[in-house]
Amino acid sequence: MVSLVVVAVFLLCGTLFQPPQTAAFKPLFQDGSITHREITQMAILRKTAEVCRDIATAQGRDFTLPINNRLTTSAVHEACTTSSTSSSALATLSFYSAITETYLSNAVVDQVFALSEAHHIDNEAFSEGRDLITRGVAAVKASVQQKSYISARISLGALCHTLQDFYSHSNWVELGSTAPFSTLIKPDLPLNNIAGPSTPTCKSCTWPNCGDNILPEILLQKKLTSGYFSIFSSTKPAGKCSHGGFFDRTSSREPTGGINKDDISSDHGFLHKRAAEMAINATMEVLQDIRLATGNQAFLRLMGLSQTSVLAFVIDTTGSMSDDIEEAKRVSFSIIDSRRGTSEEPSEYILVPFNDPDFGPLTRTEDADLFKRRINSLSASGGGDLPEMCLSGLLLALAGAPQSSDIFVFTDAAAKDLELKSTVQVMIERTKSTVTFLLTSPFSFRRRRDVSQSQGFTSRSIPLSDIQLYRDLAHVSGGQAIEVTKATLSLATAVITDASTSALVTLFQVVRNPGIAENFTFVLDPSLSNVTVYVTGDSPVFTLYSPTGESQSGSVADGPLGSILTVGNLKRVKLNSTSQTGELKISINSTSSYSLKITGQSSVNFLFNFVERLEGGDFTPKANRPFTGRNATLFVSVTGGDSVTVTDVLLVEASGSNVVNGTIKALGATDFLVNIDRIPEWPFVVQLKGLLNDSTTRSLPSRFQRQSPTQQQGSRFTITAQPNSTIEPGTPFVLNFTLLTNATGGSYTIRARTDRSFSVSFPSSLNAGTEGSAQGTITLTAPSNTESGTDVTLTIEAEDPESSDSNYVALRFTVMTKVTDFSSPVCQVVSIKADCPVECSRASWELSTNLTDGNGTGIVGVSLSRGNGSLSLSNMMSADGTNVTVAFYNASCCSQEVELVAVDRVGNVGTCFTSIKSPSTTVSPSGSTTVSLNGSTTVSLKGSTTVSLNGSYSVSFSMCVALFGLLLSFLYG
Ligand SMILES: *[C@@H]1O[C@H](CO)[C@@H](O)[C@H](O)[C@H]1NC(C)=O
Ligand SMILES: *[C@@H]1O[C@H](CO)[C@@H](O)[C@H](O)[C@H]1NC(C)=O
Ligand SMILES: *[C@@H]1O[C@H](CO)[C@@H](O)[C@H](O)[C@H]1NC(C)=O
């Protein structure tokens, strides 16, 4: 009866409250048990460490970090970056964010697909679950190919959820398995030995013990089953196992009890740890497949590891902009050329041109020379009399850039596409990216009218109300609206050089509008370098006071505290390194509006995400504005050290001095849950204060503070939508969303759009009836020629026209043509010549193999994942008309093993391992294969064969056709 009432409550409140967390390893936090978060994080840390180790080994460097389940994010980050010149040891945030993005996407599955059997491999839905996993893997690979790493992480997190749940919900562990079930990531292998639909699998538990409820014959015959689960009905096929637990009504029916290993108190909780460890190994296996398909460098990018800073420009290309474009070129070329090959080199470049009516395309590249060519080919032409598509261009850049990027917009005109303002603001909130505007119209108006009229342009100037738009967007993002003349723009672009360093952190930021005399203090900690203070506004008067009491007025260009650059409405103070620890004070006096921003370089930073409590205690990510006036929870991670104490997490009013204090609960050393009693009415930034415990110097802990540059805000209603990570080009995709409010009635304006101008249809308004909820439907269509792996961001906004309160959901989709090629490339050895003397360095050996992709999409890449010899490739057509890639490998006899990796167009991976070690070892294969020897003889080998000739060398060649797992060995005498 109790559970009936509970279920009824969920049904009634189903639209307002989260469904119970029921059907999985716990998503994020659960004392004493291993959650999806920890499984995903550990697998990523271990696999990433392996990749870094292999790269280090190949380059002859040491890698001493032991790879085990005790790895920490900061230790892996340090080991991966310290000896590599091209990644910055300071730039910690992107690695933490990538891991967080992945496990939050994993956790979302429990919320939005709570009752889907396939997503959790309940109800013996092995085949459907595997489809989700393998389609997810294909989407990850396609996204990585398009450098859409955020989308790739979303797909990766979601597929990992299903993959990991298999180990908790099936009897794989109970069957005594010692390795992951690889068939789950290999779509063309048969799913053998699944218990038939009418095969009984369980008997009732003998309470209080529920350990041995799986039928002995199931265990004996190694039949695979998973538990049935329903919160609605107790019906299940006769004799089947249940999931078990409080919410599972099927487990109260014969056979009673369940088999899940979700946490330590589950019916099979005694196997929880083993299932979780197996899930870590299975997650590593799928990461290895992705790594082989994408290559080591792209894999590390996917993990956010080789990301330093992003250089992102959105540039107006109208006729009057030629000076500005020249300056954008100059400053970017100077950054690229002066930092090439150093750890300060930007890791990614983004360029979006716009004018009227065009904007885009988005260039997103890791290749500095490609970026240079693109920016070189920009030319100022046309336009001149009309406002431009500035916000459309900015929207593309926001959706295309990594999280927390610094984006610079160059324009001298008002924005025409004002209707995008709220969407741009939503994307700023979502991506936590900072936007700085370099506006060259306001003061150059007169000069430019003369110049431009003589060139046939009509005069342009940005009216104050439009400058205010740019100021507003700069403000919400934590950037600046810098107003300068064309002649002085080259001084102002120093802010771009400042921001394009790795590990940029914000210490403090305020905006005062109208201006007011005020003193601000902030703490400079020893981890900081290159601290810079920016003051923008109509000539505000200010004085800086160092921790030791020295002072410098804002009108003194060079003083004891630093050097001050004044250009347009910007003052930028570069602090001397001597004034860089302790409490700094800045005293500002101005009657007009001003902004103050202080940045520095440091590995110590933080990331935060709102999470919502589920029934049962755990949390799910909340991907939009929290409820105003209600309590909320922030999940905070501090980067850059294994030992920090967080003393304060504050919501600070963005344009005032109100503060809401959070209650902090530590989860391990660097993660924290912060409870906020009441989300304020006003927009806010998140400020974090704490102590850095420096174990190396044994000095006293030092105070530090950081602040989120981007603003967040609450809303009195929310929107939820079921995300779907992939859509097919040319096929309309229908998406339902729900608007929920705690008020009754009311009409809400709806807006939906994509960053790529895909066709979207949606209701223009929704009425929240007396229940305070309304459903809407959106149809989204990607053009049929959209390339697989393209990502598109859909924002759905709802606004209450009376209060102008609004909320949103922002969903990322990967456009994917249905993958039909599930077969991996295969290899066939043609010859091995290994006449190796005992003194191995005196001779070399050779291998020649043919690689083919059968009826598949064709081999697009062949590389070495083991062996340091030389590989050469050529293509030929075989007698039966198939394309053959001939790989010729030559290595020193001291390097006795080689593994070739062949990848086809959709990312299926085939590997091919050959060893000339003696005595040879081979793994036992199943099935048989043929090998053609010297191009003529064909031998057929079955099972594991090791041939040894003349007692000298046995050459074992294993042909790891990934799909068939075949191995064979043969000898070349
Ligand atoms: C996971 O893999 C490691 C390393 O291969 C192995 O030692 C461990 O036993 C595996 N764990 C399980 C539960 O299979
Ligand atoms: C700011 O600090 C200065 C110097 O310590 C002091 O003279 C001034 O009164 C303060 N101003 C405000 C508004 O608190
Ligand atoms: C930042 O600080 C470091 C160390 O103090 C210094 O070597 C480097 O040149 C500075 N970078 C910039 C861009 O000023």
Side-chain angles (χ1 to χ4, degrees):
M1 197 55 211
V2 169
S3 67
L4 257 177
V5 171
V6 170
V7 169
V9 169
F10 287 130
L11 289 177
L12 285 175
C13 308
T15 49
L16 250 185
F17 296 98
Q18 304 302 336
Q21 48 154 111
T22 40
F25 284 122
K26 300 307 169 203
L28 291 171
F29 321 110
Q30 176 95 356
D31 289 341
S33 298
I34 308 169
T35 61
H36 279 290
R37 172 176 72 98
E38 290 156 311
I39 292 168
T40 307
Q41 173 154 355
M42 191 45 67
I44 290 177
L45 292 180
R46 282 174 49 186
K47 185 50 70 181
T48 303
E50 281 183 19
V51 172
C52 294
R53 179 198 61 199
D54 293 351
I55 292 174
T57 308
Q59 295 174 350
R61 291 185 283 113
D62 281 346
F63 187 94
T64 51
L65 185 71
I67 300 180
N68 55 36
N69 281 352
R70 286 184 300 279
L71 288 175
T72 63
T73 312
S74 69
V76 173
H77 184 270
E78 193 181 321
C80 284
T81 52
T82 37
S83 50
S84 143
T85 47
S86 58
S87 17
S88 165
L90 289 181
T92 51
L93 190 72
S94 59
F95 185 39
Y96 283 78
S97 311
I99 296 173
T100 308
E101 281 164 31
T102 309
Y103 66 61
L104 291 182
S105 164
N106 180 326
V108 164
V109 174
D110 261 348
Q111 178 202 358
V112 293
F113 300 110
L115 305 178
S116 154
E117 57 180 30
H119 283 85
H120 309 284
I121 314 200
D122 294 323
N123 306 2
E124 301 181 320
F126 295 107
S127 167
E128 298 83 347
R130 180 172 73 168
D131 282 354
L132 288 175
I133 293 166
T134 55
R135 273 190 265 138
V137 172
V140 172
K141 292 171 180 174
S143 293
V144 169
Q145 204 158 36
Q146 299 291 328
K147 308 196 188 308
S148 304
Y149 299 112
I150 299 178
S151 296
R153 289 171 202 139
I154 291 172
S155 300
L156 177 62
L159 80 89
C160 282
H161 189 99
T162 305
L163 181 68
Q164 293 161 1
D165 269 0
F166 169 82
Y167 297 92
S168 172
H169 298 173
S170 77
N171 63 339
W172 181 255
V173 171
E174 286 84 345
L175 291 178
S177 313
T178 53
F181 185 43
S182 304
T183 306
L184 282 182
I185 64 169
K186 304 205 167 134
D188 57 349
L189 287 192
L191 276 164
N192 287 333
N193 244 33
I194 294 177
S198 54
T199 307
T201 53
C202 266
K203 60 187 183 206
S204 284
C205 294
T206 47
W207 301 105
N209 179 4
C210 193
D212 63 348
N213 51 341
I214 297 176
L215 293 175
E217 58 266 33
I218 294 295
L219 298 175
L220 202 66
Q221 297 163 17
K222 297 217 176 290
K223 291 255 186 238
L224 204 52
T225 185
S226 73
Y228 279 73
F229 174 81
S230 176
I231 64 169
F232 300 120
S233 144
S234 61
T235 311
K236 65 178 171 185
K240 288 293 187 186
C241 301
S242 283
H243 175 86
F246 181 69
F247 292 109
D248 175 22
R249 297 190 61 205
T250 74
S251 64
S252 56
R253 168 173 294 199
E254 287 280 316
T256 59
I259 62 167
N260 88 79
K261 294 155 283 289
D262 288 352
D263 63 31
I264 45 174
S265 60
S266 301
D267 286 344
H268 279 199
F270 65 103
L271 291 171
H272 166 72
K273 212 163 158 252
R274 193 167 163 72
E277 274 167 14
M278 194 80 86
I280 293 175
N281 286 3
T283 307
M284 287 181 69
E285 188 179 66
V286 82
L287 291 174
Q288 173 70 8
D289 179 67
I290 292 165
R291 166 203 182 174
L292 291 179
T294 58
N296 287 341
Q297 291 310 326
F299 181 82
L300 293 183
R301 294 259 162 162
L302 173 63
M303 296 309 154
L305 247 188
S306 41
Q307 185 182 318
T308 51
S309 63
V310 179
L311 197 57
F313 286 176
V314 179
I315 303 185
D316 185 344
T317 57
T318 323
S320 54
M321 283 293 292
S322 55
D323 292 354
D324 308 54
I325 294 173
E326 277 312 310
E327 176 53 23
K329 258 181 229 175
R330 187 200 63 80
V331 69
S332 59
F333 282 32
S334 140
I335 291 169
I336 290 167
D337 295 337
S338 65
R339 300 192 182 154
R340 202 173 280 241
T342 73
S343 64
E344 288 297 323
E345 183 177 4
S347 54
E348 195 168 355
Y349 301 88
I350 284 171
L351 179 64
V352 181
F354 69 90
N355 49 48
D356 181 36
D358 298 321
F359 62 94
L362 166 83
T363 299
R364 175 169 59 196
T365 180
E366 291 150 17
D367 177 353
D369 294 316
L370 174 66
F371 177 77
K372 278 185 163 185
R373 286 198 298 278
R374 288 286 160 83
I375 203 167
N376 248 334
S377 70
L378 293 183
S379 64
S381 64
D385 55 341
L386 284 164
E388 315 299 341
M389 304 297 277
C390 178
L391 301 189
S392 306
L394 177 54
L395 200 56
L396 263 186
L398 282 164
Q403 297 264 320
S404 309
S405 294
D406 273 275
I407 297 172
F408 294 93
V409 181
F410 293 77
T411 186
D412 63 357
K416 185 184 195 183
D417 41 7
L418 291 174
E419 72 280 2
L420 290 182
K421 182 183 178 189
S422 65
T423 312
V424 166
Q425 185 172 344
V426 156
M427 284 306 289
I428 287 169
E429 262 177 54
R430 256 333 266 147
T431 61
K432 299 179 179 133
S433 283
T434 297
V435 185
T436 290
F437 295 89
L438 293 148
L439 306 172
T440 54
S441 172
F443 305 107
S444 56
F445 173 50
R446 262 171 229 292
R447 184 183 69 86
R448 284 195 48 256
R449 177 158 55 185
D450 302 339
V451 173
S452 54
Q453 274 178 350
S454 68
Q455 292 176 348
F457 295 118
T458 323
S459 67
R460 307 193 334 160
S461 71
I462 312 181
L464 198 60
S465 62
D466 292 300
I467 292 181
Q468 195 55 45
L469 166 81
Y470 294 139
R471 286 182 187 159
D472 290 348
L473 290 175
H475 179 196
V476 297
S477 73
Q480 299 159 87
I482 297 170
E483 299 153 30
V484 290
T485 62
K486 300 245 176 208
T488 54
L489 177 63
S490 64
L491 294 174
T493 52
V495 298
I496 300 176
T497 313
D498 294 350
S500 308
T501 53
S502 63
L504 190 75
V505 298
T506 302
L507 305 179
F508 189 71
Q509 175 153 10
V510 290
V511 172
R512 291 293 180 259
N513 186 14
I516 168 184
E518 199 166 340
N519 287 339
F520 302 98
T521 56
F522 46 92
V523 172
L524 301 180
D525 64 82
S527 79
L528 286 164
S529 60
N530 304 320
V531 177
T532 311
V533 179
Y534 304 90
V535 184
T536 48
D538 260 350
S539 43
V541 174
F542 68 91
T543 308
L544 282 159
Y545 299 88
S546 77
T548 53
E550 285 179 298
S551 67
Q552 180 176 345
S553 149
S555 58
V556 175
D558 275 296
L561 272 78
S563 57
I564 304 184
L565 164 81
T566 304
V567 52
N569 65 340
L570 169 75
K571 283 187 181 269
R572 171 242 213 188
V573 189
K574 285 208 78 103
L575 289 188
N576 296 334
S577 51
T578 48
S579 40
Q580 292 197 349
T581 54
E583 195 163 87
L584 207 79
K585 183 165 93 170
I586 178 163
S587 168
I588 304 191
N589 197 350
S590 172
T591 48
S592 59
S593 69
Y594 62 84
S595 78
L596 166 67
K597 170 174 172 142
I598 297 132
T599 65
Q601 253 183 308
S602 167
S603 63
V604 180
N605 204 345
F606 75 107
L607 46 122
F608 68 91
N609 286 282
F610 280 102
V611 291
E612 275 178 300
R613 194 178 283 277
L614 293 164
E615 293 293 327
D618 203 345
F619 291 84
T620 185
K622 173 149 181 73
N624 57 10
R625 294 177 180 157
F627 267 108
T628 305
R630 293 202 202 158
N631 66 9
T633 307
L634 275 175
F635 174 47
V636 170
S637 302
V638 179
T639 74
D642 278 334
S643 181
V644 287
T645 309
V646 172
T647 54
D648 302 272
V649 175
L650 311 165
L651 308 189
V652 179
E653 186 177 14
S655 312
S657 33
N658 284 309
V659 170
V660 172
N661 219 322
T663 317
I664 302 160
K665 180 187 171 204
L667 305 162
T670 55
D671 293 337
F672 305 87
L673 274 180
V674 180
N675 202 50
I676 310 289
D677 271 349
R678 202 166 176 278
I679 292 293
E681 313 276 331
W682 25 265
F684 56 87
V685 292
V686 179
Q687 199 177 73
L688 179 131
K689 294 180 181 173
L691 298 169
L692 293 177
N693 312 314
D694 188 346
S695 51
T696 50
T697 62
R698 294 174 190 280
S699 52
L700 286 175
S702 42
R703 288 199 292 148
F704 77 102
Q705 76 178 72
R706 298 288 182 269
Q707 185 168 306
S708 71
T710 48
Q711 276 181 28
Q712 306 290 318
Q713 58 185 299
S715 173
R716 299 203 175 277
F717 56 94
T718 194
I719 310 182
T720 57
Q722 178 162 308
N724 187 314
S725 60
T726 63
I727 59 175
E728 260 186 79
T731 307
F733 176 76
V734 177
L735 176 85
N736 296 322
F737 68 98
T738 307
L739 187 147
L740 303 165
T741 166
N742 52 4
T744 55
S747 170
Y748 293 81
T749 310
I750 304 296
R751 286 184 290 270
R753 54 171 58 91
T754 70
D755 60 320
R756 292 187 185 270
S757 318
F758 287 178
S759 141
V760 184
S761 71
F762 58 92
S764 60
S765 72
L766 281 183
N767 250 306
T770 46
E771 297 93 52
S773 81
Q775 301 273 341
T777 299
I778 287 187
T779 308
L780 168 68
T781 313
S784 47
N785 60 356
T786 314
E787 231 182 302
S788 275
T790 301
D791 66 353
V792 55
T793 302
L794 170 72
T795 48
I796 309 170
E797 297 167 67
E799 185 180 331
D800 173 358
E802 272 168 33
S803 62
S804 69
D805 185 7
S806 64
N807 209 338
Y808 65 88
V809 273
L811 303 171
R812 269 178 200 271
F813 296 93
T814 303
V815 183
M816 279 292 286
T817 308
K818 226 189 198 91
V819 173
T820 50
D821 174 11
F822 288 117
S823 61
S824 301
V826 295
C827 72
Q828 204 171 43
V829 163
V830 178
S831 67
I832 295 178
K833 292 195 187 119
D835 200 358
C836 283
V838 176
E839 214 173 303
C840 64
S841 63
R842 294 221 318 262
S844 61
W845 66 285
E846 312 176 340
L847 164 76
S848 171
T849 64
N850 287 347
L851 303 155
T852 50
D853 196 37
N855 297 330
T857 43
I859 292 174
V860 293
V862 178
S863 57
L864 291 177
S865 65
R866 237 193 280 184
N868 58 9
S870 66
L871 177 68
S872 62
L873 303 171
S874 60
N875 289 312
M876 65 170 209
M877 188 78 85
S878 76
D880 62 356
T882 51
N883 284 319
V884 179
T885 303
V886 181
F888 183 78
Y889 177 76
N890 181 302
S892 153
C893 280
C894 301
S895 172
Q896 298 174 318
E897 292 180 345
V898 62
E899 186 174 50
L900 295 179
V901 180
V903 181
D904 68 18
R905 193 164 301 281
V906 296
N908 292 309
V909 176
T911 60
C912 180
F913 176 75
T914 304
S915 167
I916 56 163
K917 269 196 182 139
S918 174
S920 72
T921 50
T922 55
V923 183
S924 171
S926 55
S928 71
T929 190
T930 55
V931 68
S932 96
L933 210 59
N934 299 334
S936 55
T937 339
T938 298
V939 283
S940 186
L941 300 176
K942 237 192 175 94
S944 152
T945 320
T946 304
V947 194
S948 192
L949 197 69
N950 298 338
S952 57
Y953 289 98
S954 85
V955 180
S956 118
F957 155 72
S958 67
M959 176 162 134
C960 311
V961 181
L963 298 179
F964 304 105
L966 297 177
L967 292 166
L968 65 96
S969 68
F970 79 99
L971 176 85
Y972 181 86

